[in-house]
Amino acid sequence: APPMSALQRARSFLPFLSWPAQWRAAGMRDDVVAGVTVALVMIPQALAYAKLAGLPPHVGLYAALVPAVVAALFGSCGQLSTGPVALTSLLVAASIAPLGGLAGGDVIGLELLLALLSGLIQLALGVLRLGWLLNLLSVPVLMGFVNAAALIICLTQIPPLLGLAMPYSQHLVVDFAQALGGLAELHPASVAFGLGSLAALLALKRLWPRLPGVPLVVAAATALSAWSGFAAGGGAVVGDVPGGLPEFSLPPLRLDLIAALLPAAFVVAMVSFMEAASSAKLISGRTRQAWRQDQELIGQGLGKIAAAFTSGMPVSASFSRSALNYASDARTGLSSIVTAAFVLLALLYLTPLLWHLPKPVLAAIILQA
């Protein structure tokens, strides 16, 4: 092969340098429209997945801001939508819950350190061009893990869907049974919001798949919650969501915490990248746009590292949001930057509107996804 020019080498390491050429060929309009469309789904999902990870809702919004932009700038597949995702959020919850005592109850510090470590692992694999090692992972084992994770996600979200309190220990089935033991104390309004939202999401997806079902349901449920006094009647709502820009954060760089989290960080790095790779392979096969496994590792790793220093949480490429990007004809990472811009607007101006969002609706979003 002929030697690469300086510009080709730069584009190889900095994929965003190739975006202008694509805009000259097809324009920027589709990227902008796709970014707005994905933002309508990203904002409520970010709140829901932060809750799934056992973190405050605003952490999910922070993770959909700077980390999403960094991953888009340095990733090789322009349609990938990086941010909070269900599977990675579940892994975060399972990884940090047993270590709360070791960290003195600093759950936020633990998840920031987990984001840093898993990001460094992905970055190292990409820089050393070791992405091919991921091909050695057994597909049946991976699928078993993913399906087991989906089952766990469902079991943890059914109680909050019905407005029931669920204890969290190392025995999930026992915790689930204890939660269902409180059926006599069901909160009727919570049940109505949870089951009604789930039914509406499924109906919209089946009957009107082109409509943005998640933001429509969230807007309607929030308005109905405020009008009916759901919170005053004992219903659980999101409550105060801090607005404004995320603050600079520094993970607790303690050797004992690093040693305790390192195995979990490796699992998060591998599983989250397999999720990103599966989306990139499918999309590139349809668009005929090449994607590079090692470069995507670098982009996803830098996204996680950015989350560690901007008060976010471990991120990955969302299969559903990436598919929505592709369906909306996105071509470059500009769509993810537009999405992040709308998340920023939500943080600056819309957080008071989220106060009345019922938590059973967030559980319905997770279950539907």
Side-chain angles (χ1 to χ4, degrees), residues 186-259:
L186 277 177
H187 187 247
S190 296
V191 175
F193 269 107
L195 295 182
S197 298
L198 182 59
L201 287 168
L202 294 174
L204 286 169
K205 184 177 181 180
R206 187 178 186 85
L207 300 176
W208 298 283
R210 299 188 69 86
L211 289 178
V214 172
L216 287 176
V217 170
V218 166
T222 303
L224 183 59
S225 169
W227 175 77
S228 64
F230 175 68
V237 295
V238 168
D240 291 323
V241 177
L245 296 172
E247 296 181 356
F248 175 79
S249 55
L250 185 65
L253 301 176
R254 287 168 38 189
L255 289 179
D256 57 337
L257 293 180
I258 293 174

Side-chain angles (χ1 to χ4, degrees), residues 137-222:
L137 290 175
S138 168
V139 173
V141 170
L142 179 65
M143 293 307 298
F145 181 86
V146 171
N147 283 290
L151 179 60
I152 293 172
I153 289 171
C154 289
L155 290 179
T156 57
Q157 295 307 303
I158 288 175
L161 181 79
L162 303 176
L164 298 173
M166 180 173 174
Y168 289 94
S169 69
Q170 296 181 347
H171 307 287
L172 176 63
V173 177
V174 175
D175 295 339
F176 182 71
Q178 290 180 354
L180 293 186
L183 285 175
E185 303 174 1
L186 277 177
H187 187 247
S190 296
V191 175
F193 269 107
L195 295 182
S197 298
L198 182 59
L201 287 168
L202 294 174
L204 286 169
K205 184 177 181 180
R206 187 178 186 85
L207 300 176
W208 298 283
R210 299 188 69 86
L211 289 178
V214 172
L216 287 176
V217 170
V218 166
T222 303

Side-chain angles (χ1 to χ4, degrees), residues 3-358:
M4 290 192 299
S5 66
L7 179 58
Q8 288 174 323
R9 284 195 296 270
R11 286 177 175 174
S12 176
F13 291 107
L14 305 171
F16 58 88
L17 294 178
S18 65
W19 295 357
Q22 298 182 60
W23 295 335
R24 283 194 295 271
M28 301 168 58
R29 179 183 178 278
D30 288 339
D31 283 343
V32 174
V33 172
V36 175
T37 303
V38 173
L40 296 175
V41 177
M42 172 77 90
I43 293 170
Q45 279 192 349
L47 297 170
Y49 294 153
K51 172 180 173 291
L52 179 62
L55 302 170
H58 66 273
V59 173
L61 293 176
Y62 292 166
L65 198 57
V66 178
V69 172
V70 171
L73 289 173
F74 293 94
S76 66
C77 181
Q79 292 84 2
L80 288 190
S81 174
T82 300
V85 298
L87 183 54
T88 301
S89 298
L90 177 68
L91 290 174
V92 171
S95 301
I96 64 179
L99 301 177
L102 183 62
D106 184 13
V107 175
I108 298 294
L110 283 173
E111 62 91 5
L112 293 175
L113 182 58
L114 182 60
L116 177 62
L117 294 175
S118 57
L120 288 173
I121 290 171
Q122 287 186 330
L123 179 61
L125 289 173
V127 170
L128 297 175
R129 299 186 180 279
L130 296 177
W132 60 270
L133 290 173
L134 297 173
N135 298 328
L136 301 179
L137 290 175
S138 168
V139 173
V141 170
L142 179 65
M143 293 307 298
F145 181 86
V146 171
N147 283 290
L151 179 60
I152 293 172
I153 289 171
C154 289
L155 290 179
T156 57
Q157 295 307 303
I158 288 175
L161 181 79
L162 303 176
L164 298 173
M166 180 173 174
Y168 289 94
S169 69
Q170 296 181 347
H171 307 287
L172 176 63
V173 177
V174 175
D175 295 339
F176 182 71
Q178 290 180 354
L180 293 186
L183 285 175
E185 303 174 1
L186 277 177
H187 187 247
S190 296
V191 175
F193 269 107
L195 295 182
S197 298
L198 182 59
L201 287 168
L202 294 174
L204 286 169
K205 184 177 181 180
R206 187 178 186 85
L207 300 176
W208 298 283
R210 299 188 69 86
L211 289 178
V214 172
L216 287 176
V217 170
V218 166
T222 303
L224 183 59
S225 169
W227 175 77
S228 64
F230 175 68
V237 295
V238 168
D240 291 323
V241 177
L245 296 172
E247 296 181 356
F248 175 79
S249 55
L250 185 65
L253 301 176
R254 287 168 38 189
L255 289 179
D256 57 337
L257 293 180
I258 293 174
L261 276 176
L262 203 53
F266 183 80
V267 172
V268 169
M270 295 300 100
V271 173
S272 67
F273 185 70
M274 289 303 294
E275 190 171 16
S278 64
S279 298
K281 285 180 180 178
L282 180 61
I283 291 172
S284 64
R286 295 187 177 184
T287 62
R288 305 299 180 187
Q289 291 178 322
W291 77 285
R292 290 173 289 130
Q293 191 165 250
D294 293 321
Q295 187 62 43
E296 204 59 58
L297 271 168
I298 291 173
Q300 292 292 312
L302 289 174
K304 288 181 174 63
I305 294 171
F309 294 103
T310 56
S311 303
M313 58 184 286
V315 295
S316 183
S318 164
F319 192 88
S320 60
R321 293 194 304 268
S322 299
L324 182 58
N325 242 344
Y326 165 74
S328 303
D329 297 322
R331 291 180 178 83
T332 73
L334 175 64
S335 60
S336 292
I337 295 177
V338 172
T339 297
F342 271 79
V343 173
L344 177 60
L345 289 176
L347 277 167
L348 292 177
Y349 303 111
L350 301 182
T351 51
L353 300 179
L354 298 172
W355 195 96
H356 288 283
L357 175 58

